[in-house]
Amino acid sequence: MLKAIIRFFKSLNSNSHPGEIAHAVCLALILGFLPKDNLLWYVLTVFFFFMRINRGALIFFTFIFSLIAPALDNLFDIWGYAILNYEKFIPLFTKMLDTPFVAFTKFNNSIVMGSLAFSLMCYIPLYFLSRIIIRYWRRLLAPSFRKTKLYTILQQLPLVKKIGEMI
């Protein structure tokens, strides 16, 4: 896991495609906001790891978004309740609950439904924002960061050298 996160930080400065990193951030938003105690989270996690994305970014940002998610639970609950009680969706949700194993996804939980809807709604804006930030980092911030004393001090630490050799 540490190797994947280190590869993510290296990929910020390498020739890796910014779209792979941006998609990983967006997919991490979905995984980070979803509660971790349901089948939907595990299925999506396995599916996302088979996609061509930066896995280090996925792991790192899933952790970051998981820390933010509890603060947004009230919002997710309100959105999920509204979606689950929308009259036109009730027959679909009833049919889904009667389908074997679909109930294990806990889609009928208002927080699960609200967090999924919210993260899907934020996917495209976050994708473009991530690409802009990556471009800004590569062109302006990374070269100036390499000139700082902090960067030279970090490069001299034995642990940082050892991690660099592992990759």
Side-chain angles (χ1 to χ4, degrees):
M1 184 166 109
L2 183 61
K3 277 187 178 183
I5 293 171
I6 292 169
R7 275 191 229 128
F8 157 65
F9 285 110
K10 282 193 165 204
S11 70
L12 280 176
N13 300 318
S14 71
N15 289 332
S16 68
H17 194 271
E20 291 179 8
I21 300 171
H23 277 298
V25 171
C26 296
L27 295 174
L29 179 77
I30 296 170
L31 291 179
F33 282 174
L34 274 174
K36 314 306 182 262
D37 63 343
N38 59 59
L39 182 65
L40 180 64
W41 190 86
Y42 293 106
V43 169
L44 288 176
T45 301
V46 170
F47 179 71
F48 292 163
F49 270 98
F50 283 108
M51 295 177 72
R52 185 180 168 105
I53 57 171
N54 188 300
R55 287 172 188 79
L58 181 70
I59 293 168
F60 179 74
F61 283 103
T62 299
F63 176 72
I64 298 298
F65 291 131
S66 294
L67 295 176
I68 298 169
L72 299 173
D73 275 350
N74 288 334
L75 174 71
F76 297 155
D77 187 39
I78 293 168
W79 279 36
Y81 185 80
I83 293 169
L84 289 171
N85 288 314
Y86 187 63
E87 283 188 40
K88 294 185 180 185
F89 290 158
I90 290 176
L92 172 69
F93 293 148
T94 304
K95 190 177 279 188
M96 287 174 66
L97 275 176
D98 292 339
T99 306
F101 297 109
V102 174
F104 292 126
T105 63
K106 293 187 182 178
F107 74 90
N108 57 336
N109 182 327
S110 61
I111 293 178
V112 172
M113 181 60 73
S115 64
L116 183 63
F118 182 81
S119 57
L120 289 175
M121 186 190 72
C122 292
Y123 191 97
I124 293 174
L126 182 63
Y127 175 79
F128 288 113
L129 180 66
S130 299
R131 286 194 66 136
I132 291 168
I133 290 172
I134 292 167
R135 185 179 308 132
Y136 182 71
W137 170 260
R138 286 181 177 177
R139 289 188 183 164
L140 300 173
L141 294 179
S144 61
F145 177 70
R146 287 190 194 112
K147 295 175 186 174
T148 63
K149 289 182 182 181
L150 176 66
Y151 181 77
T152 56
I153 292 171
L154 288 175
Q155 290 297 324
Q156 300 301 320
L157 293 175
L159 178 64
V160 174
K161 287 182 182 178
K162 185 71 172 173
I163 291 172
E165 293 170 4
M166 288 173 38
I167 300 174

